Amino acid sequence: MTAWLDSLSPIWLHLTTFLMMFLEGMGIPGIPGVLPMLALAESIHAHQTTLLEAILWGVAGNWFGSLAGYRLAASALRRLPARWQRVARSRRTAGIMRRWGGLAVIVSRTVGSLRTPVTLYAGASAYPWRAYLLFSLLGAVLHVGVWQTLLWRFGPEILQSFEHMQAQVLPYLLVAAALIVLLLVLKRRRAHDDTGDVEGEPQN
């Protein structure tokens, strides 16, 4: 894996990181943005790129994605029923966002379970655009900066541990997968035989 990562062009890794972080920043769950960041960590150690470049590409993707998510939520709200619009823009909602909105936006850049609702809710509740620009940028810098730095610092150890674990565990995983397939085939055949027996019974 290390040799394969070393052979990849850094520009493609930067573009992949930007795209992954953009989608993650929009609030789409399940985006594995850490994978290209881990690959970039190996490229940094191979002197094919720099830590600063990796952080800048990741921050740009995460920030622009969060801004796109905000705009999409604000646009989608106008297509919802009027009752839902009143709830999203109520005084209570505005008060909560005014008091805790900045902290929520910053934390949501790192905490995946908060990223989607905070991004969408900020746009739907008309949270101030300038404040969202600032706090989402700060959150993106903290999120990408910390993670990319940690992966750069400990990335080789993570890859070596993964390769060692892969060599040790892979045979057992293959055996387990073969047993699961065999059990499924036997279960399906037994169910088919039982169905055939029922259909073949004479009726009174």
Side-chain angles (χ1 to χ4, degrees):
M1 178 179 288
T2 302
W4 175 70
L5 291 176
D6 288 341
S7 67
L8 296 177
S9 172
I11 186 62
W12 291 111
L13 291 177
H14 286 309
L15 291 174
T16 302
T17 301
F18 179 89
L19 177 60
M20 291 287 193
M21 285 297 170
F22 183 89
L23 296 175
E24 182 183 274
M26 285 183 65
I28 299 176
I31 302 298
V34 70
L35 295 181
M37 295 173 70
L38 182 59
L40 278 171
E42 181 62 28
S43 294
I44 295 170
H45 282 279
H47 304 290
Q48 296 175 344
T49 187
T50 65
L51 177 62
L52 180 59
E53 287 179 301
I55 291 176
L56 288 176
W57 279 89
V59 168
N62 190 278
W63 187 40
F64 291 148
S66 67
L67 301 183
Y70 177 100
R71 287 302 189 186
L72 286 175
S75 177
L77 180 67
R78 292 192 290 268
R79 296 174 174 81
L80 295 178
R83 181 170 58 88
W84 292 12
Q85 295 187 36
R86 287 193 296 269
V87 172
R89 294 174 176 172
S90 65
R91 290 184 178 180
R92 180 182 180 185
T93 301
I96 293 174
M97 291 301 295
R98 185 169 52 250
R99 184 174 182 180
W100 303 104
L103 179 62
V105 171
I106 293 173
V107 174
S108 69
R109 294 298 92 200
T110 299
V111 181
S113 59
L114 296 178
R115 188 179 302 116
T116 301
V118 170
T119 301
L120 299 180
Y121 201 68
S125 64
Y127 184 73
W129 173 246
R130 292 185 179 180
Y132 188 82
L133 279 173
L134 175 62
F135 290 125
S136 61
L137 176 59
L138 180 58
V141 171
L142 292 174
H143 171 54
V144 177
V146 170
W147 270 104
Q148 188 65 74
T149 301
L150 289 175
L151 290 172
W152 162 70
R153 177 63 182 84
F154 301 105
E157 289 82 355
I158 294 174
L159 288 175
Q160 291 174 5
S161 299
F162 178 79
E163 290 175 344
H164 179 72
M165 180 186 67
Q166 185 183 42
Q168 297 293 326
V169 176
L170 186 58
Y172 298 100
L173 292 178
L174 293 176
V175 172
L179 289 175
I180 291 173
V181 172
L182 179 61
L183 289 174
L184 291 175
V185 171
L186 293 175
K187 183 178 180 180
R188 184 175 180 180
R189 180 175 296 178
R190 180 178 297 177
H192 178 73
D193 292 341
D194 292 341
T195 303
D197 293 340
V198 172
E199 292 177 351
E201 291 180 356
Q203 297 181 358
N204 296 329

